[in-house]
């Protein structure tokens, strides 16, 4: 241990008092070099001269005064220099008596020096406000986002044994669970607010262990209602009720499919519970791909419909303005027509009389065809009845939702009558064209 790097400030009051008690008494026999073997020799070796000498001699504790003066000068104020001066004064007794004290003071100083090299990080309000669980602390240190969970487990305190059994079995399936008593960090100002944030933003599901004890807790009832509101608002399957003991189900769970732990036979409760938590994660990518394919097909049909309408308009304008001998060549210039369609159009143009009367009949037939196709499309679109939205979910208290079937039937009868009138007009128009 290099004592030359340890300053005198590392010496404790105990060590300083021991040195003072041994140096303050006056020694009449000098050492071999002629220096006094008391505080006077220490003052000489510490270069205390002039106006400081009267202050030292008049001080009640001259040795302590000398040590403080050396510390203030910050010159040769290390422990190694102090021991060297004591050896010059031949005060081996002081060195021996204070050796253990100096070692303890040195170790304590080095430990404090090591601790001072590290400091605590400043709390960032934006980050600290989002830390709700123990997992968040470890993830933030790694530069990761806050922890997300597969499910939040809600249960009564009396059912903690069954809850622990459920947690053990599900976590063996690599399901990440959040439990209030285990995962929440201490010091959260509002516990209910933290649990609500976990349920709505950080947990995909909420497992409810239903029992008579669960229904007695007002806090559990509040979290159940909140999870149901979140489920309705986000249109997600949020709540997974698990019946642990037979009891009268609350209204919120009466319409849900409940996993019954008390059921016997081939019923696999733990397997059903595992699949109920994970099934959406396995189907999510497939749903996205299926929806993407549907969008592509719809876009393709829309583009083909627009192109067909454009080609039909071009063909109509050619009939009205172009002579019959040029119609045959114009058919080949119409874009996006298959070879079969071109052959059919060519044959129809060869047999077509270019008189004004025949032109008008042919144009009328084309208009009738377009109207018929448009009417079929409108009929197909109108056949899909729209489902009315549910009432406001903010004030939802019961499951009794009624629909006025009389209004629906009246609207449907009106639509049928209008369709019949349109078909009659189309038939009449077609007969007129055939007669002419």
């Amino acid at each position: 241990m290099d004592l030359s790097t340890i300053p005198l400030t590392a010496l404790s009051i105990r060590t300083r008092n021991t040195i003072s008690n041994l140096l303050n008494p006056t020694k009449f026999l000098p050492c071999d070099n002629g220096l006094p073997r008391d505080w006077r020799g220490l003052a000489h070796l510490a270069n205390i001269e002039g106006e400081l000498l009267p202050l030292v001699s008049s001080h009640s504790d001259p040795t302590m005064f000398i040590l403080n003066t050396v510390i203030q000068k910050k010159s040769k104020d290390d422990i190694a220099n102090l021991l060297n001066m004591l050896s010059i004064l031949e005060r081996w007794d002081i060195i021996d008596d204070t050796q253990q004290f100096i070692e303890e003071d040195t170790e304590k100083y080095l430990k404090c020096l090591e601790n001072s090299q590290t400091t605590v990080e400043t709390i960032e309000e934006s980050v600290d406000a989002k830390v709700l669980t123990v997992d968040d602390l470890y993830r933030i240190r790694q530069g990761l986002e806050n922890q997300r969970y597969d499910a939040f487990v809600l249960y009564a305190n009396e059912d903690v044994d069954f809850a622990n059994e459920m947690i053990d079995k599900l976590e063996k399936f690599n399901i990440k669970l959040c439990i209030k008593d285990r995962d929440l960090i201490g010091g959260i100002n509002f516990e209910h607010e933290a649990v609500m944030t976990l349920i709505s933003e950080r947990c995909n599901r909420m497992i409810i262990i239903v029992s008579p004890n669960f229904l007695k807790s007002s806090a559990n009832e509040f979290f159940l209602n909140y999870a149901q509101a979140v489920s309705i608002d986000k249109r997600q399957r949020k709540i997974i009720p698990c019946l642990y003991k037979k009891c009268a189900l609350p209204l919120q769970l009466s319409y849900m499919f409940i996993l019954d732990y008390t059921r016997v036979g081939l019923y696999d409760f733990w397997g059903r519970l595992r699949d109920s938590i994970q099934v959406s994660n396995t189907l999510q990518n497939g749903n996205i791909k299926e929806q993407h394919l549907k969008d592509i097909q719809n876009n393709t049909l829309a583009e083909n419909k627009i192109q067909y309408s454009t080609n039909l308009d071009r063909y109509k304008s050619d009939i009205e303005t172009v002579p019959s001998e040029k119609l045959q060549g114009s058919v080949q210039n119409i874009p996006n027509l298959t070879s079969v369609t071109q052959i059919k159009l060519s044959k129809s143009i060869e047999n077509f009389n270019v008189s004004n009367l025949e032109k008008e009949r042919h144009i009328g037939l084309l208009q009738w065809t377009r109207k018929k196709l448009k009417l079929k499309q409108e009929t197909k679109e109108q056949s899909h009845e729209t489902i009315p939205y549910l009432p406001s979910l903010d004030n939802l208290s019961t499951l009794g939702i009624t629909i006025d079937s009389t209004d629906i039937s009246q609207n449907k009868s009106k639509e049928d009558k209008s369709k019949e009138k349109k078909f009659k007009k189309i038939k009449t128009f077609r007969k007129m064209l055939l007669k002419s």
Side-chain angles (χ1 to χ4, degrees), residues 136-192:
D136 294 340
L137 295 175
Y138 294 102
R139 291 181 63 86
I140 288 177
R141 291 170 185 171
Q142 300 175 7
L144 303 175
E145 296 181 355
N146 290 329
Q147 179 69 53
R148 290 193 60 86
Y149 299 91
D150 290 314
F152 185 92
V153 182
L154 187 64
Y155 57 92
N157 294 331
E158 294 80 1
D159 303 328
V160 64
D161 294 335
F162 178 73
N164 291 332
E165 180 184 359
M166 176 183 290
I167 293 168
D168 293 338
K169 289 184 177 295
L170 292 180
E171 289 185 343
K172 289 181 180 179
F173 297 131
N174 294 326
I175 295 177
K176 190 71 176 177
L177 299 177
C178 180
I179 297 91
K180 181 184 68 172
D181 297 335
R182 182 190 70 178
D183 297 325
L184 258 65
I185 61 173
I188 296 178
N189 292 331
F190 301 100
E191 179 183 331
H192 279 41

Side-chain angles (χ1 to χ4, degrees), residues 107-143:
E107 292 178 359
K108 186 177 180 180
Y109 172 80
L110 293 176
K111 187 176 180 180
C112 293
L113 184 64
E114 182 181 358
N115 293 335
S116 65
Q117 301 300 319
T118 58
T119 184
V120 180
E121 297 180 0
T122 304
I123 297 176
E124 296 184 9
E125 296 180 1
S126 59
V127 177
D128 188 66
K130 297 179 181 179
V131 177
L132 300 177
T133 63
V134 178
D135 295 328
D136 294 340
L137 295 175
Y138 294 102
R139 291 181 63 86
I140 288 177
R141 291 170 185 171
Q142 300 175 7

Side-chain angles (χ1 to χ4, degrees), residues 278-409:
Q278 294 181 331
V279 66
S280 63
N281 295 333
T282 58
L283 295 178
Q284 185 176 5
N285 295 332
N287 289 338
I288 293 175
K289 292 180 180 179
E290 183 179 354
Q291 184 65 31
H292 182 64
L293 292 175
K294 288 182 179 180
D295 295 339
I296 294 176
Q297 292 176 358
N298 293 333
N299 294 334
T300 304
L301 292 175
E303 292 176 359
N304 293 338
K305 183 177 179 182
I306 294 172
Q307 189 65 39
Y308 173 76
S309 178
T310 304
N311 294 338
L312 192 61
D313 292 338
R314 290 180 180 177
Y315 177 64
K316 175 182 175 182
S317 63
D318 290 341
I319 293 176
E320 294 178 349
T321 58
V322 181
S324 60
E325 58 271 11
K326 295 184 179 180
L327 290 176
Q328 186 68 30
S330 63
V331 171
Q332 300 177 356
N333 297 328
I334 298 176
N336 298 331
L337 288 180
T338 61
S339 58
V340 178
T341 306
Q342 291 181 357
I343 293 171
K344 290 182 179 180
L345 289 176
S346 300
K347 289 182 179 180
S348 64
I349 292 173
E350 290 176 357
N351 299 327
F352 181 68
N353 188 356
V354 294
S355 63
N356 293 334
L357 181 60
E358 292 297 329
K359 285 184 180 180
E360 292 178 357
R361 291 180 59 187
H362 193 69
I363 292 171
L365 182 60
L366 291 174
Q367 292 178 348
W368 174 81
T369 304
R370 290 186 62 185
K371 289 181 179 180
K372 186 176 179 181
L373 291 174
K374 185 177 180 181
L375 183 59
K376 286 183 178 181
Q377 183 67 21
E378 291 178 353
T379 304
K380 185 177 180 180
E381 293 177 356
Q382 291 176 358
S383 63
H384 298 284
E385 296 180 358
T386 59
I387 300 175
Y389 285 101
L390 293 174
S392 175
L393 300 176
D394 295 334
N395 299 324
L396 183 61
S397 58
T398 62
L399 299 176
I401 300 176
T402 59
I403 299 176
D404 192 353
S405 59
T406 306
D407 295 339
I408 295 176
S409 60

